[in-house]
Amino acid sequence: MIPRIADMLDGLELFSDFSYSELRTIARFVALHSVKQGEVVFNEGDPGSNMLILVDGKLSVFKGGESGRHLLSSEGRGRIVGEMSLLDHERRSATCVAESDCELLTLGADGLERMAAEHPVLAYRFMYRLARLL
């Protein structure tokens, strides 16, 4: 599974400065998930402690309000969703729905902490790239 995940990371903007060997290391700390069209990935207000990397498909992000649900963004391949909850562990600020069948990679706070303990320079570079993209 690690080579498959490394292949998915390869070519994504967030990981453009990483060697394939480094991508294989990062792959040890992320998980692959599939979601079906129409499935809610997370709801506004849900507890959160991970970010999603969309490797295939399309996601929509909605925010609730007094007059109903409003589309904030539509995300495609390579986009990052929910990254703030990885950093601040706060509740989700929006709802994320799969607009098509999707493959997602998730990095949780526990995975990031393990990466930082085992590969601190790699974790620092990952966080720096994430900050630059935000």
Side-chain angles (χ1 to χ4, degrees), residues 35-44 46 69 95-98:
V35 294
K36 296 290 185 193
Q37 181 178 6
E39 188 175 333
V40 174
V41 179
F42 56 78
N43 282 298
E44 184 174 353
D46 285 351
R69 193 166 84 160
T95 297
C96 181
V97 178

Side-chain angles (χ1 to χ4, degrees), residues 9-129:
L9 297 173
D10 195 19
L12 299 179
E13 184 179 4
L14 176 60
F15 300 98
S16 63
D17 292 340
F18 294 91
S19 69
Y20 190 77
S21 174
E22 291 169 325
L23 295 178
R24 288 178 59 94
T25 300
I26 293 168
R28 294 181 23 223
F29 302 98
V30 301
L32 175 62
H33 300 280
S34 296
V35 294
K36 296 290 185 193
Q37 181 178 6
E39 188 175 333
V40 174
V41 179
F42 56 78
N43 282 298
E44 184 174 353
D46 285 351
S49 63
N50 65 5
M51 67 175 235
L52 311 172
I53 304 164
L54 182 58
V55 293
D56 190 35
K58 183 177 175 185
L59 297 172
S60 290
V61 180
F62 298 93
K63 181 81 174 164
E66 292 178 13
S67 59
R69 193 166 84 160
H70 301 283
L71 179 66
L72 294 179
S73 66
S74 292
E75 306 295 345
R77 183 181 189 286
R79 298 296 298 179
I80 301 161
V81 178
E83 67 283 346
M84 287 309 297
S85 73
L86 173 67
L87 305 174
D88 64 16
H89 303 269
E90 294 293 324
R91 295 193 174 276
R92 301 288 186 179
S93 62
T95 297
C96 181
V97 178
E99 293 300 322
S100 66
D101 291 350
C102 297
E103 281 194 304
L104 305 167
L105 295 172
T106 60
L107 174 64
D110 57 338
L112 182 58
E113 289 171 12
R114 285 187 302 113
M115 187 190 320
E118 296 174 27
H119 303 277
V121 173
L122 191 60
Y124 170 82
R125 287 182 51 224
F126 169 79
M127 290 303 296
Y128 180 78
R129 287 289 299 159

